[in-house]
């Protein structure tokens, strides 16, 4: 609750009884504040609400402190807006005019913030700003749906009406500027003259809050803040004090951003896909502290499983089944430096190739992307055969936490014979994407230009937009006849071994031709025929 000089009833809290006080933030300080917003990737509304929260916390603490009681509990503030933010709900408002006024509650929780340090512009100012930024982004479409639930749905309306209600409302109206000859200039403009606050409103209408705060940038370039209050609940001196604290908090936040911002300024809402997967501020602080930090994205379910299995092998992971190798014999004159530049551009082109997997990320289902130097090596064969070189390469396990998870080795046999070995962990490449990598690599080596890349982020956004419940429902039905887990009745190996084995079968030419003819006749690819045969085998 807010400090009050006296309690008033709802019947007494009327528009006609309200009083108004206007404060101003100079254009110079406002310019500093606006230039500070990119520091924390925040908007002006994030700064205004953070400053209001700091001002209210300090005002409430000092008010109750004088009476021997200190209250430190989260505050509720109603946010009022024009209701036209509809990005998440995809409402088409292009054929409409005017406001769809929306009001929804926001929780300001600075209980863990060192208030004195924050008001002095220290690290706590940044912590408060980060916390407020995240709180505001918890609600989609700026709370557009809250009014529907509160007033138009009988069941949810009863629930919401029984919760604590905000005693203060805040509205940032944006920028108002005079334009064109003949228009009244807005220098010296006052908010209550617009009719939004006070003005010609119904004097007998009930007010819903003890304090109303309306802010806008006027024609002079300063921030005008109008404070509406009831004189029985608050003396004007109390509102003047609160307004002064608000201005001081805004100045402090601007100074903090320009002089002493936090080293780690990002918040989970800067990574919306990863936030849905489980990214929180503590994990983000840990990951984003890396000097080569680039991005955080969710893992696909398969990636998470592969990473878990690799980590479960232990630190050495010599027998990691997801260490993949491909070896290419290159005949003719090879420009090794040109090939290196092509490989570096491929890694730069495809974000997935810059993935790393610290253990702390796997449980949350996210991956860390880092701008690491490529792992590129050139060496001579020194009489070693290819199998020996591959075994040596496979013994060098990937550091999942540090990366990179792909490397290239050029083995020189003589001036016109080389072998290119590309090794990777399976979480960054699979059988479908390897041809894309090789195609890009050879095109870049030739000097060809490449088209636009399909961003990994876009694929993840599509993947995580799928209806999870529909997929689960399908597989539940698919396996409904199984009462317990099933296993294929394959014979166990007679000699237990550690590592991977490989058995190669070469089809006779006539059988190969028959399979190709069968595929063409039935409009199938060879891959589909082989997969179908394998399914029949397993069945």
């Amino acid at each position: 609750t807010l400090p009050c000089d006296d309690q008033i009833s709802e019947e007494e809290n009327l528009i006609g009884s309200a009083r108004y006080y206007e404060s101003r933030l100079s254009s110079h300080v406002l310019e500093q504040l606006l230039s500070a917003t990119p520091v924390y990737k925040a908007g002006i509304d994030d700064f205004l609400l953070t400053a209001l929260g700091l001002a209210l916390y300090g005002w409430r603490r000092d008010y109750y402190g004088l009476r021997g009681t200190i209250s430190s509990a989260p505050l509720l503030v109603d946010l009022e807006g024009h209701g036209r933010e509809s990005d998440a709900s995809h409402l088409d408002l292009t054929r409409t005019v005017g406001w769809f006024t929306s009001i929804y509650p926001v929780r300001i929780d600075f209980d863990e913030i060192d208030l004195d340090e924050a008001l002095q512009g220290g690290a706590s100012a940044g912590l408060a700003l980060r916390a407020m930024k995240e709180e505001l982004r918890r609600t989609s479409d700026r709370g557009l749906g809250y009014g529907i639930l509160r007033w138009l749905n009988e069941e949810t309306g009863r629930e919401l009406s029984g919760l604590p209600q905000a005693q203060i409302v805040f509205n940032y109206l944006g920028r108002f500027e005079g334009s064109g000859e003949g228009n009244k200039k807005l220098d010296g403009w006052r908010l209550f003259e617009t009719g939004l606050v006070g003005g010609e409103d119904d004097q007998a209408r009930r007010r819903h809050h003890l304090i109303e705060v309306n802010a806008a940038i006027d024609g002079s370039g300063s921030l005008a803040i109008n404070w509406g209050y009831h004189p029985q609940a608050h003396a004007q001196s109390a509102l003047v004090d609160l307004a002064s604290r608000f201005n001081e908090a805004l100045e402090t936040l601007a100074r903090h951003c320009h002089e002493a911002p936090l080293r780690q300024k990002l918040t989970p809402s800067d990574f919306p896909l990863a936030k849905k997967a489980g990214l929180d501020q503590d994990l983000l602080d840990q990951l984003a502290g890396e000097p080569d930090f680039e991005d955080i994205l969710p893992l696909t379910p398969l990636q998470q499983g592969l990473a878990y299995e690799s980590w479960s092998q232990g630190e050495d992971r010599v027998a990691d089944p997801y260490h993949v190798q491909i070896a290419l014999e290159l005949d003719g004159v090879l420009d090794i430096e040109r090939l290196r530049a092509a490989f570096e551009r491929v890694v730069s082109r495809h974000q997935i190739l810059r993935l790393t997997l610290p253990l702390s990320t796997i449980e949350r289902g996210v991956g860390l992307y880092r701008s690491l130097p490529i792992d590129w090596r050139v060496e001579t064969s020194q009489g070693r055969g290819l199998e020996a070189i591959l075994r040596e390469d496979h013994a060098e396990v990937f550091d999942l936490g540090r990366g990179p998870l792909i490397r290239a080795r050029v083995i020189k046999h003589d001036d016109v014979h080389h072998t290119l070995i590309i090794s990777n962990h399976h979480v960054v490449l699979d059988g479908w994407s390897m041809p894309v990598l090789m195609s890009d690599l050879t095109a870049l080596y030739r000097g060809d230009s490449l088209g636009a890349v399909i961003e990994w982020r876009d694929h993840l956004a599509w993947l995580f937009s799928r209806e999870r419940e529909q997929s689960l429902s399908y597989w539940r039905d698919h396996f409904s006849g199984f009462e317990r887990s099933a296993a294929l009745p394959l014979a166990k190996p007679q000699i237990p071994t550690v590592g991977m084995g490989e058995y190669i079968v070469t089809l006779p030419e006539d059988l190969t031709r028959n399979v190709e003819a069968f595929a063409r006749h039935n409009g199938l690819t060879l891959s589909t025929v082989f997969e179908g045969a394998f399914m029949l085998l397993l069945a």
Side-chain angles (χ1 to χ4, degrees), residues 79-87 89 91-104 141-148 151-152 171 173 196:
L79 286 193
E80 182 177 346
H82 51 64
R84 302 187 70 87
E85 296 96 346
S86 59
D87 293 341
S89 60
L91 293 175
D92 182 8
L93 303 179
T94 55
R95 297 174 62 83
T96 64
V97 295
W99 284 32
F100 299 103
T101 301
S102 62
I103 298 181
Y104 63 98
D141 277 1
R142 302 295 182 98
L144 196 60
Y146 176 80
I148 297 174
W151 301 107
L152 301 181
N171 188 5
L173 298 161
L196 293 171

Side-chain angles (χ1 to χ4, degrees), residues 273-347:
L273 290 175
K275 184 178 179 180
K276 289 180 180 178
L279 179 67
D280 60 16
Q281 190 69 57
D282 289 340
L283 181 58
L284 176 58
D285 290 343
Q286 174 188 335
L287 300 178
E290 299 288 344
D292 48 16
F293 171 82
E294 181 183 309
D295 202 355
I296 303 174
L297 289 172
L299 297 173
T300 66
L302 179 58
Q303 282 182 310
Q304 193 171 6
L306 296 177
Y308 171 78
E309 287 197 54
S310 288
W311 271 108
S312 67
Q313 299 289 325
E315 291 187 4
D316 52 5
R317 289 195 294 279
V318 176
D320 191 340
Y322 301 118
H323 185 139
V324 182
Q325 296 170 305
I326 182 172
L328 302 174
E329 297 292 344
L330 305 177
D331 294 335
V333 178
L334 178 67
D335 187 335
I336 294 178
E337 188 54 38
R338 186 184 183 93
L339 184 59
R340 180 194 184 281
F343 180 72
E344 188 169 28
R345 287 182 63 187
V346 167
V347 174

Side-chain angles (χ1 to χ4, degrees), residues 9 103 118 183 196 200 208 228 232 337 390 428 467 475 486-487 526:
S9 65
I103 298 181
N183 287 345
L196 293 171
E200 298 179 0
H208 295 284
Q232 185 178 332
E337 188 54 38
L390 289 173
V428 299
E467 287 292 339
W475 288 108
L526 275 176

Side-chain angles (χ1 to χ4, degrees), residues 233-245:
H234 297 103
Q236 181 170 333
S237 59
L239 267 295
V240 171
D241 179 32
L242 179 57
S244 175
R245 292 171 186 264

Side-chain angles (χ1 to χ4, degrees), residues 61-90:
R61 180 186 66 178
D62 295 346
Y63 180 93
Y64 284 120
L66 294 174
R67 290 154 177 76
T69 303
I70 297 179
S71 173
S72 63
L75 288 162
L76 275 183
V77 175
D78 274 345
L79 286 193
E80 182 177 346
H82 51 64
R84 302 187 70 87
E85 296 96 346
S86 59
D87 293 341
S89 60
H90 306 295

